Amino acid sequence: MKGVMRLNHANLSKSSCNTGGIVTREDLKNYEPVLNESAINFTVGNYTFHAPDAPFGGPVLALILNILKGYNISSSSVSTTENKTLTYHRMIEAFRFANVQKGKLGDPLYENVAGIVKNMTSESFADKIRSKINDSFKQKDYGQEDSNGVPDDHGTSHLSVLAEDGSAVAVTSSINN
């Protein structure tokens, strides 16, 4: 309990409020950690993923992978400078669109995010977003008007996955203008 009390009485809440954050000292005092051992499961191609559910990065990862799946990325996608440029452009655009959707996620204990997660993990939603990606330029609009006024936080998401056989995948997305 000493560690929790130390955190609750730290200057974290003061710092958060002074920099425009919404976490208050009262929030920290009243916080109770909740263990959620369930994961979202989604399939991309022949692979089934088990990832942390909202508010963590699982739905974001599902959306990015489903968008990119439609491009049939292979070794030839990065075989030339021109192909690399196009492939990386598509990846960045997928990250940007997914970041807007990430802004719609919240804590399932306090907000109903089931519909948002369902969209983010559906292939048809990814297809719809992929159809908006133009290979010639960066979008000016990624659908922010649908994000209920959540400000762009220029945040970073990271997910690491370790398989039984020892293989690992790490995904970090940082979206900045």
Side-chain angles (χ1 to χ4, degrees), residues 7 11 16 27 36 54 62-63 94 97 119 126 138 146 148 156 171:
L7 174 65
N11 288 326
S16 173
D27 290 334
N36 179 352
L63 181 56
F97 274 103
N119 270 348
K138 174 191 174 289
D146 297 329
N148 298 322
T156 300
V171 178

Side-chain angles (χ1 to χ4, degrees), residues 40-43 53-54 58-60 62-63 66 101 104-105 108 112-127 129:
I40 62 168
N41 305 308
F42 58 94
T43 302
D53 201 351
V60 178
L63 181 56
N66 277 319
Q101 298 304 311
K104 297 177 183 180
L105 292 174
N112 183 359
V113 295
I116 297 165
V117 171
K118 184 177 179 182
N119 270 348
M120 291 178 75
T121 57
S122 80
E123 291 183 31
S124 62
F125 189 70
D127 292 344
I129 289 177

Side-chain angles (χ1 to χ4, degrees), residues 146-160:
D146 297 329
S147 65
N148 298 322
V150 176
D152 185 4
D153 68 359
H154 301 285
T156 300
S157 294
H158 180 81
L159 178 68
S160 296

Side-chain angles (χ1 to χ4, degrees), residues 77-161:
S77 301
V78 292
S79 62
T80 67
T81 300
E82 185 176 309
N83 288 356
K84 280 182 193 177
T85 302
L86 177 59
T87 299
Y88 295 151
H89 169 75
R90 289 172 170 172
M91 288 178 172
I92 291 166
E93 291 295 280
F95 284 11
R96 289 179 184 273
F97 274 103
N99 188 56
V100 169
Q101 298 304 311
K102 178 184 81 172
K104 297 177 183 180
L105 292 174
D107 189 335
L109 293 175
Y110 304 101
E111 298 179 48
N112 183 359
V113 295
I116 297 165
V117 171
K118 184 177 179 182
N119 270 348
M120 291 178 75
T121 57
S122 80
E123 291 183 31
S124 62
F125 189 70
D127 292 344
K128 180 179 165 187
I129 289 177
R130 188 180 326 98
S131 72
K132 295 177 182 180
I133 295 175
N134 186 308
D135 288 345
S136 301
F137 59 83
K138 174 191 174 289
Q139 304 292 316
K140 291 183 181 180
D141 178 18
Y142 294 92
Q144 294 91 327
E145 69 276 1
D146 297 329
S147 65
N148 298 322
V150 176
D152 185 4
D153 68 359
H154 301 285
T156 300
S157 294
H158 180 81
L159 178 68
S160 296
V161 180

